[in-house]
Amino acid sequence: MNFFEKVTGSDMTKQMKGFDARAKGLPADYQAAWEEIKSNLWLHGDFTGRNLMPIMDSALELLEVTAADGQRVEEVLGDDIKGFCAALVGDEGAKSYRDKWREQLNRNVARKLGGLK
């Protein structure tokens, strides 16, 4: 990956297009689960989202393998895809970027108003 790709994020765009192309080969219920996994995982990304690329690759591979084995998507992921995604990125109470930014803002405001560290 060169500097230009890293700055513009075009490497991630190529990778996501590859993921989506792989997902098109899955059954319809697996494709719907993949879309939901993608939308739930982005909440746990860092500023660029690069930390999620290996996690997305692994999640898609899990879907591919289990679809090939003939399992139902509910057997693999359960009923709580949001919880499944939180478990993928860390422990069950994983914080999203919104939570992190909210805490940082609250700390800054408290520091300005109350002299806290």
Side-chain angles (χ1 to χ4, degrees):
M1 162 175 50
N2 64 32
F3 178 74
F4 180 75
E5 288 176 335
K6 191 170 187 173
V7 169
T8 61
S10 64
D11 60 319
M12 288 177 47
T13 302
K14 289 177 190 174
Q15 200 168 8
M16 286 304 300
K17 285 181 181 179
F19 291 158
D20 289 337
R22 286 170 50 195
K24 287 195 187 295
L26 295 171
D29 55 341
Y30 276 86
Q31 288 181 24
W34 169 246
E35 291 300 321
E36 196 170 340
I37 287 172
K38 283 193 317 184
S39 65
N40 282 303
L41 279 179
W42 282 117
L43 296 174
H44 300 287
D46 60 5
F47 181 71
T48 63
R50 285 189 201 291
N51 65 323
L52 297 176
M53 291 296 118
I55 296 170
M56 286 189 175
D57 186 37
S58 297
L60 183 56
E61 186 175 348
L62 172 70
L63 293 177
E64 290 170 334
V65 168
T66 55
D69 288 345
Q71 292 181 324
R72 290 187 1 246
V73 72
E74 293 82 17
E75 293 177 80
V76 180
L77 303 177
D79 294 332
D80 184 19
I81 292 182
K82 189 174 184 175
F84 174 79
C85 292
L88 281 178
V89 296
D91 51 0
E92 193 53 43
K95 294 182 180 179
S96 70
Y97 68 90
R98 291 181 192 137
D99 296 329
K100 294 173 188 174
W101 289 349
R102 186 178 300 115
E103 287 176 7
Q104 181 181 4
L105 177 64
N106 288 340
R107 276 195 312 270
N108 290 342
V109 169
R111 191 175 312 134
K112 295 285 184 181
L113 294 177
L116 301 174
K117 290 185 180 180

